[in-house]
Amino acid sequence: MPGPTVADVARAAEVSTATVSHALNGTGRLADATRRRVREVATALGYGSRRTPRTGGTLGMAVTTYAGSAWNFLEVPYFARLLTAATATAHAHGYALTILPAARGAETLWHTLTVDGMLLLDSPTDDPVLRALRARGIPLVFDGRPVDPKPGDVWVDNDHTATTHEVLGHLAASGARRIALHAGYGDEHYTRAVTRAYEQWCDEHGRTPLLIAFDPYDTPGHGFDAVFAARACDAVYTVYDRGGRHVLAAADRHGLRIPDDLLLVCASEDRAYAENDPPVSTVTLRPATIAETAVTALVSRLSPTAPPPPPGALTVPAVLHPRHSSRRRARPGSPQQGDR
């Protein structure tokens, strides 16, 4: 097979063909970093040599929600469980799994990475990692619907509309009249899908939406101060793992009792919520099942004999675990037994 062309290198490096020619020939006025990156990309693609079929054996995984930021996604129970299951599934299929750091660091990383296929988690709008991998033609499977899916793309996700409606219906059945949504930090499909579903549910049920912006560093939950001080909501659905603790801290500071004054549901894989007093209702997105499904789909895409997975979404149902935080206790003389 003929080797890659200058145009192939230009697409992978996200530069013009003229820039590639200058970088490889030592001509023109280019920044040293650009010249070095183009040469590294050309080397990784095998420019100037003949291509040989790769037998592979390595998958890559990247959490690109905040790509470029040095955050430790392994501290988040969702990602910790997903990556553990993904590693086990990759090994079961005979593949190694390389887990990439969130911070891009050297810009050449995504252009020179040597893997047979990639799993991208929570790819946001204008994802530079996704752009580089597509330019190189590396097979992809997504955890979460890509912002701009291409024909043939495969992704594994929950039905966020159905899950959100189930949670809001559960809170309404427990007596909530003013339900706030704690979300909106990321720009990935998960955040946008849950927010749209929440607004749709509110419109259908004649409720006024109340969105509270999530801040991962707001440990005391000050984002709730104005709402809680005014008693403007009587229930919260928080869609990030840390959000439940933010709500608990703010409720305690404002003298709100859970579940008597405030109902709470948190999307989280952290088992500690079940040990809280009172136990906190959680939604599990089932990351282990998502990982197994995604890795298996990617391996199928790479196999010369296995049938490829159908393009589009592979859906893993989420599960609501109701606990005392979203079941209002019966008041004296009340016939309801909401905490059973």
Side-chain angles (χ1 to χ4, degrees), residues 59-62 78-99 119-121 143 286-296 298-299:
L59 306 179
M61 177 177 284
Y78 175 88
F79 293 116
R81 294 193 184 185
L82 187 145
L83 295 174
T84 298
T87 302
T89 306
H91 291 176
H93 286 285
Y95 282 83
L97 181 66
T98 298
I99 301 171
L119 295 167
L120 286 189
L121 281 62
D143 168 18
R286 300 175 65 200
T289 303
I290 286 179
E292 293 165 5
T293 305
V295 171
T296 300
L298 182 56
V299 170

PDB file of all heavy atoms in Angstrom, residues 59-62 78-99 119-121 143 286-296 298-299:
ATOM      1  N   LEU A  59      -6.115  -0.114  22.751  1.00  0.00           N
ATOM      2  CA  LEU A  59      -7.197   0.863  22.677  1.00  0.00           C
ATOM      3  C   LEU A  59      -6.830   2.059  23.533  1.00  0.00           C
ATOM      4  O   LEU A  59      -6.095   1.926  24.517  1.00  0.00           O
ATOM      5  CB  LEU A  59      -8.510   0.255  23.188  1.00  0.00           C
ATOM      6  CG  LEU A  59      -8.972  -1.051  22.552  1.00  0.00           C
ATOM      7  CD1 LEU A  59     -10.276  -1.515  23.209  1.00  0.00           C
ATOM      8  CD2 LEU A  59      -9.140  -0.898  21.057  1.00  0.00           C
ATOM      9  N   GLY A  60      -7.350   3.205  23.166  1.00  0.00           N
ATOM     10  CA  GLY A  60      -7.148   4.407  23.968  1.00  0.00           C
ATOM     11  C   GLY A  60      -8.463   4.896  24.531  1.00  0.00           C
ATOM     12  O   GLY A  60      -9.532   4.630  23.972  1.00  0.00           O
ATOM     13  N   MET A  61      -8.393   5.595  25.650  1.00  0.00           N
ATOM     14  CA  MET A  61      -9.591   6.179  26.249  1.00  0.00           C
ATOM     15  C   MET A  61      -9.256   7.572  26.760  1.00  0.00           C
ATOM     16  O   MET A  61      -8.204   7.784  27.374  1.00  0.00           O
ATOM     17  CB  MET A  61     -10.118   5.313  27.395  1.00  0.00           C
ATOM     18  CG  MET A  61     -11.324   5.916  28.110  1.00  0.00           C
ATOM     19  SD  MET A  61     -11.988   4.830  29.404  1.00  0.00           S
ATOM     20  CE  MET A  61     -12.845   3.644  28.388  1.00  0.00           C
ATOM     21  N   ALA A  62     -10.152   8.522  26.502  1.00  0.00           N
ATOM     22  CA  ALA A  62      -9.941   9.896  26.957  1.00  0.00           C
ATOM     23  C   ALA A  62     -11.253  10.485  27.440  1.00  0.00           C
ATOM     24  O   ALA A  62     -12.304  10.298  26.816  1.00  0.00           O
ATOM     25  CB  ALA A  62      -9.369  10.757  25.829  1.00  0.00           C
ATOM     26  N   TYR A  78     -18.162   7.902  38.964  1.00  0.00           N
ATOM     27  CA  TYR A  78     -18.651   7.455  37.654  1.00  0.00           C
ATOM     28  C   TYR A  78     -17.488   7.025  36.768  1.00  0.00           C
ATOM     29  O   TYR A  78     -17.477   5.921  36.204  1.00  0.00           O
ATOM     30  CB  TYR A  78     -19.453   8.563  36.967  1.00  0.00           C
ATOM     31  CG  TYR A  78     -19.892   8.206  35.561  1.00  0.00           C
ATOM     32  CD1 TYR A  78     -21.088   7.531  35.333  1.00  0.00           C
ATOM     33  CD2 TYR A  78     -19.096   8.518  34.455  1.00  0.00           C
ATOM     34  CE1 TYR A  78     -21.483   7.177  34.049  1.00  0.00           C
ATOM     35  CE2 TYR A  78     -19.483   8.165  33.171  1.00  0.00           C
ATOM     36  CZ  TYR A  78     -20.673   7.501  32.968  1.00  0.00           C
ATOM     37  OH  TYR A  78     -21.051   7.146  31.705  1.00  0.00           O
ATOM     38  N   PHE A  79     -16.493   7.904  36.626  1.00  0.00           N
ATOM     39  CA  PHE A  79     -15.373   7.603  35.746  1.00  0.00           C
ATOM     40  C   PHE A  79     -14.513   6.472  36.315  1.00  0.00           C
ATOM     41  O   PHE A  79     -13.998   5.643  35.568  1.00  0.00           O
ATOM     42  CB  PHE A  79     -14.527   8.851  35.513  1.00  0.00           C
ATOM     43  CG  PHE A  79     -15.244   9.910  34.727  1.00  0.00           C
ATOM     44  CD1 PHE A  79     -15.528  11.143  35.293  1.00  0.00           C
ATOM     45  CD2 PHE A  79     -15.644   9.677  33.425  1.00  0.00           C
ATOM     46  CE1 PHE A  79     -16.191  12.124  34.569  1.00  0.00           C
ATOM     47  CE2 PHE A  79     -16.319  10.645  32.690  1.00  0.00           C
ATOM     48  CZ  PHE A  79     -16.594  11.872  33.260  1.00  0.00           C
ATOM     49  N   ALA A  80     -14.347   6.432  37.636  1.00  0.00           N
ATOM     50  CA  ALA A  80     -13.536   5.376  38.242  1.00  0.00           C
ATOM     51  C   ALA A  80     -14.138   4.003  37.932  1.00  0.00           C
ATOM     52  O   ALA A  80     -13.412   3.066  37.561  1.00  0.00           O
ATOM     53  CB  ALA A  80     -13.433   5.595  39.744  1.00  0.00           C
ATOM     54  N   ARG A  81     -15.441   3.874  38.057  1.00  0.00           N
ATOM     55  CA  ARG A  81     -16.076   2.584  37.790  1.00  0.00           C
ATOM     56  C   ARG A  81     -16.072   2.257  36.306  1.00  0.00           C
ATOM     57  O   ARG A  81     -15.864   1.102  35.905  1.00  0.00           O
ATOM     58  CB  ARG A  81     -17.506   2.596  38.327  1.00  0.00           C
ATOM     59  CG  ARG A  81     -17.561   2.692  39.840  1.00  0.00           C
ATOM     60  CD  ARG A  81     -18.935   2.375  40.354  1.00  0.00           C
ATOM     61  NE  ARG A  81     -18.996   2.571  41.798  1.00  0.00           N
ATOM     62  CZ  ARG A  81     -20.043   2.274  42.538  1.00  0.00           C
ATOM     63  NH1 ARG A  81     -21.122   1.770  41.984  1.00  0.00           N
ATOM     64  NH2 ARG A  81     -20.026   2.489  43.841  1.00  0.00           N
ATOM     65  N   LEU A  82     -16.297   3.278  35.480  1.00  0.00           N
ATOM     66  CA  LEU A  82     -16.306   3.032  34.049  1.00  0.00           C
ATOM     67  C   LEU A  82     -14.935   2.573  33.560  1.00  0.00           C
ATOM     68  O   LEU A  82     -14.825   1.618  32.778  1.00  0.00           O
ATOM     69  CB  LEU A  82     -16.742   4.294  33.304  1.00  0.00           C
ATOM     70  CG  LEU A  82     -16.969   4.136  31.794  1.00  0.00           C
ATOM     71  CD1 LEU A  82     -18.113   5.014  31.329  1.00  0.00           C
ATOM     72  CD2 LEU A  82     -15.711   4.459  30.994  1.00  0.00           C
ATOM     73  N   LEU A  83     -13.883   3.237  34.019  1.00  0.00           N
ATOM     74  CA  LEU A  83     -12.547   2.893  33.551  1.00  0.00           C
ATOM     75  C   LEU A  83     -12.112   1.513  34.037  1.00  0.00           C
ATOM     76  O   LEU A  83     -11.416   0.784  33.324  1.00  0.00           O
ATOM     77  CB  LEU A  83     -11.553   3.959  34.003  1.00  0.00           C
ATOM     78  CG  LEU A  83     -11.779   5.350  33.385  1.00  0.00           C
ATOM     79  CD1 LEU A  83     -10.843   6.370  33.991  1.00  0.00           C
ATOM     80  CD2 LEU A  83     -11.590   5.292  31.881  1.00  0.00           C
ATOM     81  N   THR A  84     -12.511   1.149  35.250  1.00  0.00           N
ATOM     82  CA  THR A  84     -12.200  -0.194  35.747  1.00  0.00           C
ATOM     83  C   THR A  84     -12.855  -1.252  34.867  1.00  0.00           C
ATOM     84  O   THR A  84     -12.221  -2.240  34.458  1.00  0.00           O
ATOM     85  CB  THR A  84     -12.666  -0.355  37.198  1.00  0.00           C
ATOM     86  OG1 THR A  84     -11.972   0.586  38.024  1.00  0.00           O
ATOM     87  CG2 THR A  84     -12.393  -1.768  37.710  1.00  0.00           C
ATOM     88  N   ALA A  85     -14.134  -1.055  34.563  1.00  0.00           N
ATOM     89  CA  ALA A  85     -14.852  -2.022  33.729  1.00  0.00           C
ATOM     90  C   ALA A  85     -14.323  -2.024  32.298  1.00  0.00           C
ATOM     91  O   ALA A  85     -14.238  -3.085  31.656  1.00  0.00           O
ATOM     92  CB  ALA A  85     -16.346  -1.702  33.734  1.00  0.00           C
ATOM     93  N   ALA A  86     -13.951  -0.850  31.784  1.00  0.00           N
ATOM     94  CA  ALA A  86     -13.419  -0.771  30.420  1.00  0.00           C
ATOM     95  C   ALA A  86     -12.101  -1.523  30.312  1.00  0.00           C
ATOM     96  O   ALA A  86     -11.837  -2.225  29.321  1.00  0.00           O
ATOM     97  CB  ALA A  86     -13.226   0.690  30.021  1.00  0.00           C
ATOM     98  N   THR A  87     -11.260  -1.393  31.333  1.00  0.00           N
ATOM     99  CA  THR A  87      -9.978  -2.100  31.323  1.00  0.00           C
ATOM    100  C   THR A  87     -10.195  -3.607  31.327  1.00  0.00           C
ATOM    101  O   THR A  87      -9.568  -4.353  30.552  1.00  0.00           O
ATOM    102  CB  THR A  87      -9.136  -1.686  32.541  1.00  0.00           C
ATOM    103  OG1 THR A  87      -8.922  -0.271  32.519  1.00  0.00           O
ATOM    104  CG2 THR A  87      -7.792  -2.391  32.538  1.00  0.00           C
ATOM    105  N   ALA A  88     -11.078  -4.075  32.197  1.00  0.00           N
ATOM    106  CA  ALA A  88     -11.351  -5.513  32.269  1.00  0.00           C
ATOM    107  C   ALA A  88     -11.919  -6.036  30.953  1.00  0.00           C
ATOM    108  O   ALA A  88     -11.542  -7.121  30.485  1.00  0.00           O
ATOM    109  CB  ALA A  88     -12.322  -5.794  33.414  1.00  0.00           C
ATOM    110  N   THR A  89     -12.814  -5.257  30.336  1.00  0.00           N
ATOM    111  CA  THR A  89     -13.422  -5.701  29.077  1.00  0.00           C
ATOM    112  C   THR A  89     -12.400  -5.710  27.947  1.00  0.00           C
ATOM    113  O   THR A  89     -12.363  -6.636  27.132  1.00  0.00           O
ATOM    114  CB  THR A  89     -14.604  -4.792  28.713  1.00  0.00           C
ATOM    115  OG1 THR A  89     -15.518  -4.729  29.812  1.00  0.00           O
ATOM    116  CG2 THR A  89     -15.339  -5.319  27.493  1.00  0.00           C
ATOM    117  N   ALA A  90     -11.545  -4.686  27.896  1.00  0.00           N
ATOM    118  CA  ALA A  90     -10.498  -4.647  26.873  1.00  0.00           C
ATOM    119  C   ALA A  90      -9.561  -5.839  27.017  1.00  0.00           C
ATOM    120  O   ALA A  90      -9.218  -6.505  26.032  1.00  0.00           O
ATOM    121  CB  ALA A  90      -9.717  -3.336  26.972  1.00  0.00           C
ATOM    122  N   HIS A  91      -9.161  -6.133  28.242  1.00  0.00           N
ATOM    123  CA  HIS A  91      -8.273  -7.277  28.480  1.00  0.00           C
ATOM    124  C   HIS A  91      -8.942  -8.587  28.073  1.00  0.00           C
ATOM    125  O   HIS A  91      -8.286  -9.483  27.523  1.00  0.00           O
ATOM    126  CB  HIS A  91      -7.865  -7.329  29.947  1.00  0.00           C
ATOM    127  CG  HIS A  91      -6.952  -6.217  30.352  1.00  0.00           C
ATOM    128  ND1 HIS A  91      -6.528  -6.020  31.652  1.00  0.00           N
ATOM    129  CD2 HIS A  91      -6.371  -5.220  29.626  1.00  0.00           C
ATOM    130  CE1 HIS A  91      -5.734  -4.968  31.700  1.00  0.00           C
ATOM    131  NE2 HIS A  91      -5.638  -4.462  30.493  1.00  0.00           N
ATOM    132  N   ALA A  92     -10.233  -8.700  28.345  1.00  0.00           N
ATOM    133  CA  ALA A  92     -10.950  -9.921  27.986  1.00  0.00           C
ATOM    134  C   ALA A  92     -10.970 -10.137  26.472  1.00  0.00           C
ATOM    135  O   ALA A  92     -11.032 -11.273  25.996  1.00  0.00           O
ATOM    136  CB  ALA A  92     -12.375  -9.880  28.529  1.00  0.00           C
ATOM    137  N   HIS A  93     -10.891  -9.038  25.717  1.00  0.00           N
ATOM    138  CA  HIS A  93     -10.868  -9.122  24.250  1.00  0.00           C
ATOM    139  C   HIS A  93      -9.444  -9.161  23.703  1.00  0.00           C
ATOM    140  O   HIS A  93      -9.251  -9.125  22.486  1.00  0.00           O
ATOM    141  CB  HIS A  93     -11.615  -7.928  23.640  1.00  0.00           C
ATOM    142  CG  HIS A  93     -13.104  -8.018  23.759  1.00  0.00           C
ATOM    143  ND1 HIS A  93     -13.870  -8.862  22.978  1.00  0.00           N
ATOM    144  CD2 HIS A  93     -13.985  -7.366  24.562  1.00  0.00           C
ATOM    145  CE1 HIS A  93     -15.144  -8.731  23.291  1.00  0.00           C
ATOM    146  NE2 HIS A  93     -15.249  -7.826  24.252  1.00  0.00           N
ATOM    147  N   GLY A  94      -8.449  -9.196  24.588  1.00  0.00           N
ATOM    148  CA  GLY A  94      -7.064  -9.280  24.138  1.00  0.00           C
ATOM    149  C   GLY A  94      -6.419  -7.956  23.812  1.00  0.00           C
ATOM    150  O   GLY A  94      -5.380  -7.907  23.135  1.00  0.00           O
ATOM    151  N   TYR A  95      -7.009  -6.849  24.297  1.00  0.00           N
ATOM    152  CA  TYR A  95      -6.464  -5.519  24.042  1.00  0.00           C
ATOM    153  C   TYR A  95      -5.921  -4.896  25.322  1.00  0.00           C
ATOM    154  O   TYR A  95      -6.474  -5.100  26.408  1.00  0.00           O
ATOM    155  CB  TYR A  95      -7.546  -4.580  23.488  1.00  0.00           C
ATOM    156  CG  TYR A  95      -7.855  -4.784  22.020  1.00  0.00           C
ATOM    157  CD1 TYR A  95      -8.745  -5.779  21.623  1.00  0.00           C
ATOM    158  CD2 TYR A  95      -7.273  -3.978  21.047  1.00  0.00           C
ATOM    159  CE1 TYR A  95      -9.045  -5.975  20.279  1.00  0.00           C
ATOM    160  CE2 TYR A  95      -7.571  -4.162  19.701  1.00  0.00           C
ATOM    161  CZ  TYR A  95      -8.451  -5.148  19.326  1.00  0.00           C
ATOM    162  OH  TYR A  95      -8.737  -5.346  18.004  1.00  0.00           O
ATOM    163  N   ALA A  96      -4.852  -4.135  25.173  1.00  0.00           N
ATOM    164  CA  ALA A  96      -4.426  -3.248  26.249  1.00  0.00           C
ATOM    165  C   ALA A  96      -5.268  -1.978  26.175  1.00  0.00           C
ATOM    166  O   ALA A  96      -5.846  -1.661  25.125  1.00  0.00           O
ATOM    167  CB  ALA A  96      -2.944  -2.901  26.100  1.00  0.00           C
ATOM    168  N   LEU A  97      -5.357  -1.259  27.285  1.00  0.00           N
ATOM    169  CA  LEU A  97      -6.116  -0.007  27.307  1.00  0.00           C
ATOM    170  C   LEU A  97      -5.239   1.095  27.858  1.00  0.00           C
ATOM    171  O   LEU A  97      -4.737   0.996  28.982  1.00  0.00           O
ATOM    172  CB  LEU A  97      -7.378  -0.159  28.162  1.00  0.00           C
ATOM    173  CG  LEU A  97      -8.263   1.097  28.241  1.00  0.00           C
ATOM    174  CD1 LEU A  97      -8.865   1.414  26.877  1.00  0.00           C
ATOM    175  CD2 LEU A  97      -9.367   0.920  29.275  1.00  0.00           C
ATOM    176  N   THR A  98      -5.050   2.145  27.052  1.00  0.00           N
ATOM    177  CA  THR A  98      -4.278   3.311  27.468  1.00  0.00           C
ATOM    178  C   THR A  98      -5.248   4.418  27.861  1.00  0.00           C
ATOM    179  O   THR A  98      -6.083   4.832  27.051  1.00  0.00           O
ATOM    180  CB  THR A  98      -3.370   3.812  26.329  1.00  0.00           C
ATOM    181  OG1 THR A  98      -2.449   2.783  25.990  1.00  0.00           O
ATOM    182  CG2 THR A  98      -2.610   5.055  26.750  1.00  0.00           C
ATOM    183  N   ILE A  99      -5.172   4.866  29.118  1.00  0.00           N
ATOM    184  CA  ILE A  99      -6.049   5.931  29.613  1.00  0.00           C
ATOM    185  C   ILE A  99      -5.260   7.234  29.594  1.00  0.00           C
ATOM    186  O   ILE A  99      -4.213   7.354  30.236  1.00  0.00           O
ATOM    187  CB  ILE A  99      -6.558   5.615  31.030  1.00  0.00           C
ATOM    188  CG1 ILE A  99      -7.332   4.297  31.006  1.00  0.00           C
ATOM    189  CG2 ILE A  99      -7.453   6.742  31.550  1.00  0.00           C
ATOM    190  CD1 ILE A  99      -7.696   3.779  32.380  1.00  0.00           C
ATOM    191  N   LEU A 119     -11.959   5.330  22.679  1.00  0.00           N
ATOM    192  CA  LEU A 119     -13.208   5.608  23.374  1.00  0.00           C
ATOM    193  C   LEU A 119     -13.136   7.040  23.873  1.00  0.00           C
ATOM    194  O   LEU A 119     -12.206   7.404  24.603  1.00  0.00           O
ATOM    195  CB  LEU A 119     -13.404   4.657  24.551  1.00  0.00           C
ATOM    196  CG  LEU A 119     -13.569   3.175  24.214  1.00  0.00           C
ATOM    197  CD1 LEU A 119     -13.427   2.333  25.469  1.00  0.00           C
ATOM    198  CD2 LEU A 119     -14.915   2.928  23.560  1.00  0.00           C
ATOM    199  N   LEU A 120     -14.106   7.858  23.500  1.00  0.00           N
ATOM    200  CA  LEU A 120     -14.165   9.237  23.977  1.00  0.00           C
ATOM    201  C   LEU A 120     -15.344   9.383  24.914  1.00  0.00           C
ATOM    202  O   LEU A 120     -16.479   9.021  24.570  1.00  0.00           O
ATOM    203  CB  LEU A 120     -14.316  10.217  22.811  1.00  0.00           C
ATOM    204  CG  LEU A 120     -13.086  10.467  21.940  1.00  0.00           C
ATOM    205  CD1 LEU A 120     -13.357  11.613  20.974  1.00  0.00           C
ATOM    206  CD2 LEU A 120     -11.866  10.770  22.785  1.00  0.00           C
ATOM    207  N   LEU A 121     -15.094   9.942  26.096  1.00  0.00           N
ATOM    208  CA  LEU A 121     -16.131  10.122  27.103  1.00  0.00           C
ATOM    209  C   LEU A 121     -16.530  11.579  27.184  1.00  0.00           C
ATOM    210  O   LEU A 121     -15.692  12.468  27.366  1.00  0.00           O
ATOM    211  CB  LEU A 121     -15.630   9.648  28.479  1.00  0.00           C
ATOM    212  CG  LEU A 121     -15.624   8.140  28.750  1.00  0.00           C
ATOM    213  CD1 LEU A 121     -14.712   7.397  27.788  1.00  0.00           C
ATOM    214  CD2 LEU A 121     -15.223   7.853  30.186  1.00  0.00           C
ATOM    215  N   ASP A 143     -18.818   7.481  24.680  1.00  0.00           N
ATOM    216  CA  ASP A 143     -19.696   7.408  25.843  1.00  0.00           C
ATOM    217  C   ASP A 143     -20.420   8.748  25.887  1.00  0.00           C
ATOM    218  O   ASP A 143     -19.823   9.779  26.195  1.00  0.00           O
ATOM    219  CB  ASP A 143     -18.898   7.194  27.130  1.00  0.00           C
ATOM    220  CG  ASP A 143     -19.743   7.416  28.381  1.00  0.00           C
ATOM    221  OD1 ASP A 143     -20.984   7.403  28.266  1.00  0.00           O
ATOM    222  OD2 ASP A 143     -19.169   7.615  29.462  1.00  0.00           O
ATOM    223  N   ARG A 286     -25.122   3.551  35.481  1.00  0.00           N
ATOM    224  CA  ARG A 286     -24.590   2.220  35.194  1.00  0.00           C
ATOM    225  C   ARG A 286     -23.322   2.273  34.336  1.00  0.00           C
ATOM    226  O   ARG A 286     -23.270   1.741  33.227  1.00  0.00           O
ATOM    227  CB  ARG A 286     -25.670   1.356  34.540  1.00  0.00           C
ATOM    228  CG  ARG A 286     -26.913   1.183  35.424  1.00  0.00           C
ATOM    229  CD  ARG A 286     -28.000   0.440  34.706  1.00  0.00           C
ATOM    230  NE  ARG A 286     -27.598  -0.927  34.408  1.00  0.00           N
ATOM    231  CZ  ARG A 286     -28.180  -1.680  33.470  1.00  0.00           C
ATOM    232  NH1 ARG A 286     -29.169  -1.192  32.756  1.00  0.00           N
ATOM    233  NH2 ARG A 286     -27.755  -2.918  33.249  1.00  0.00           N
ATOM    234  N   PRO A 287     -22.286   2.935  34.846  1.00  0.00           N
ATOM    235  CA  PRO A 287     -21.068   3.119  34.052  1.00  0.00           C
ATOM    236  C   PRO A 287     -20.368   1.823  33.677  1.00  0.00           C
ATOM    237  O   PRO A 287     -19.744   1.743  32.620  1.00  0.00           O
ATOM    238  CB  PRO A 287     -20.197   3.989  34.954  1.00  0.00           C
ATOM    239  CG  PRO A 287     -20.718   3.772  36.335  1.00  0.00           C
ATOM    240  CD  PRO A 287     -22.188   3.581  36.172  1.00  0.00           C
ATOM    241  N   ALA A 288     -20.438   0.792  34.537  1.00  0.00           N
ATOM    242  CA  ALA A 288     -19.778  -0.470  34.197  1.00  0.00           C
ATOM    243  C   ALA A 288     -20.408  -1.097  32.957  1.00  0.00           C
ATOM    244  O   ALA A 288     -19.700  -1.588  32.060  1.00  0.00           O
ATOM    245  CB  ALA A 288     -19.848  -1.432  35.378  1.00  0.00           C
ATOM    246  N   THR A 289     -21.728  -1.058  32.880  1.00  0.00           N
ATOM    247  CA  THR A 289     -22.412  -1.604  31.712  1.00  0.00           C
ATOM    248  C   THR A 289     -22.130  -0.769  30.472  1.00  0.00           C
ATOM    249  O   THR A 289     -21.954  -1.304  29.367  1.00  0.00           O
ATOM    250  CB  THR A 289     -23.924  -1.687  31.967  1.00  0.00           C
ATOM    251  OG1 THR A 289     -24.165  -2.472  33.130  1.00  0.00           O
ATOM    252  CG2 THR A 289     -24.652  -2.299  30.792  1.00  0.00           C
ATOM    253  N   ILE A 290     -22.089   0.539  30.652  1.00  0.00           N
ATOM    254  CA  ILE A 290     -21.749   1.421  29.529  1.00  0.00           C
ATOM    255  C   ILE A 290     -20.350   1.092  29.004  1.00  0.00           C
ATOM    256  O   ILE A 290     -20.119   1.002  27.796  1.00  0.00           O
ATOM    257  CB  ILE A 290     -21.834   2.894  29.954  1.00  0.00           C
ATOM    258  CG1 ILE A 290     -23.310   3.314  30.074  1.00  0.00           C
ATOM    259  CG2 ILE A 290     -21.102   3.803  28.967  1.00  0.00           C
ATOM    260  CD1 ILE A 290     -23.518   4.739  30.515  1.00  0.00           C
ATOM    261  N   ALA A 291     -19.398   0.897  29.919  1.00  0.00           N
ATOM    262  CA  ALA A 291     -18.028   0.591  29.507  1.00  0.00           C
ATOM    263  C   ALA A 291     -17.964  -0.727  28.753  1.00  0.00           C
ATOM    264  O   ALA A 291     -17.320  -0.832  27.699  1.00  0.00           O
ATOM    265  CB  ALA A 291     -17.120   0.540  30.732  1.00  0.00           C
ATOM    266  N   GLU A 292     -18.603  -1.757  29.288  1.00  0.00           N
ATOM    267  CA  GLU A 292     -18.588  -3.057  28.622  1.00  0.00           C
ATOM    268  C   GLU A 292     -19.189  -2.970  27.222  1.00  0.00           C
ATOM    269  O   GLU A 292     -18.660  -3.538  26.261  1.00  0.00           O
ATOM    270  CB  GLU A 292     -19.369  -4.062  29.470  1.00  0.00           C
ATOM    271  CG  GLU A 292     -18.713  -4.380  30.806  1.00  0.00           C
ATOM    272  CD  GLU A 292     -19.665  -5.086  31.761  1.00  0.00           C
ATOM    273  OE1 GLU A 292     -20.803  -5.413  31.319  1.00  0.00           O
ATOM    274  OE2 GLU A 292     -19.292  -5.308  32.929  1.00  0.00           O
ATOM    275  N   THR A 293     -20.292  -2.229  27.103  1.00  0.00           N
ATOM    276  CA  THR A 293     -20.958  -2.085  25.812  1.00  0.00           C
ATOM    277  C   THR A 293     -20.088  -1.313  24.829  1.00  0.00           C
ATOM    278  O   THR A 293     -19.966  -1.686  23.652  1.00  0.00           O
ATOM    279  CB  THR A 293     -22.307  -1.380  25.997  1.00  0.00           C
ATOM    280  OG1 THR A 293     -23.094  -2.080  26.967  1.00  0.00           O
ATOM    281  CG2 THR A 293     -23.076  -1.302  24.692  1.00  0.00           C
ATOM    282  N   ALA A 294     -19.472  -0.229  25.307  1.00  0.00           N
ATOM    283  CA  ALA A 294     -18.670   0.619  24.426  1.00  0.00           C
ATOM    284  C   ALA A 294     -17.406  -0.094  23.948  1.00  0.00           C
ATOM    285  O   ALA A 294     -17.053  -0.030  22.763  1.00  0.00           O
ATOM    286  CB  ALA A 294     -18.305   1.911  25.146  1.00  0.00           C
ATOM    287  N   VAL A 295     -16.709  -0.747  24.866  1.00  0.00           N
ATOM    288  CA  VAL A 295     -15.477  -1.458  24.476  1.00  0.00           C
ATOM    289  C   VAL A 295     -15.801  -2.584  23.504  1.00  0.00           C
ATOM    290  O   VAL A 295     -15.106  -2.774  22.493  1.00  0.00           O
ATOM    291  CB  VAL A 295     -14.741  -1.996  25.713  1.00  0.00           C
ATOM    292  CG1 VAL A 295     -13.596  -2.921  25.294  1.00  0.00           C
ATOM    293  CG2 VAL A 295     -14.199  -0.840  26.546  1.00  0.00           C
ATOM    294  N   THR A 296     -16.858  -3.334  23.775  1.00  0.00           N
ATOM    295  CA  THR A 296     -17.243  -4.427  22.881  1.00  0.00           C
ATOM    296  C   THR A 296     -17.597  -3.891  21.499  1.00  0.00           C
ATOM    297  O   THR A 296     -17.231  -4.493  20.468  1.00  0.00           O
ATOM    298  CB  THR A 296     -18.430  -5.203  23.472  1.00  0.00           C
ATOM    299  OG1 THR A 296     -18.052  -5.733  24.749  1.00  0.00           O
ATOM    300  CG2 THR A 296     -18.849  -6.343  22.561  1.00  0.00           C
ATOM    301  N   LEU A 298     -16.405  -1.140  20.122  1.00  0.00           N
ATOM    302  CA  LEU A 298     -15.172  -0.694  19.478  1.00  0.00           C
ATOM    303  C   LEU A 298     -14.375  -1.885  18.949  1.00  0.00           C
ATOM    304  O   LEU A 298     -13.847  -1.845  17.827  1.00  0.00           O
ATOM    305  CB  LEU A 298     -14.326   0.119  20.463  1.00  0.00           C
ATOM    306  CG  LEU A 298     -13.012   0.694  19.911  1.00  0.00           C
ATOM    307  CD1 LEU A 298     -13.258   1.556  18.679  1.00  0.00           C
ATOM    308  CD2 LEU A 298     -12.296   1.500  20.992  1.00  0.00           C
ATOM    309  N   VAL A 299     -14.284  -2.938  19.733  1.00  0.00           N
ATOM    310  CA  VAL A 299     -13.578  -4.143  19.281  1.00  0.00           C
ATOM    311  C   VAL A 299     -14.247  -4.707  18.028  1.00  0.00           C
ATOM    312  O   VAL A 299     -13.576  -5.163  17.089  1.00  0.00           O
ATOM    313  CB  VAL A 299     -13.528  -5.191  20.407  1.00  0.00           C
ATOM    314  CG1 VAL A 299     -13.026  -6.534  19.882  1.00  0.00           C
ATOM    315  CG2 VAL A 299     -12.633  -4.702  21.540  1.00  0.00           C
TER     316      VAL A 299
END
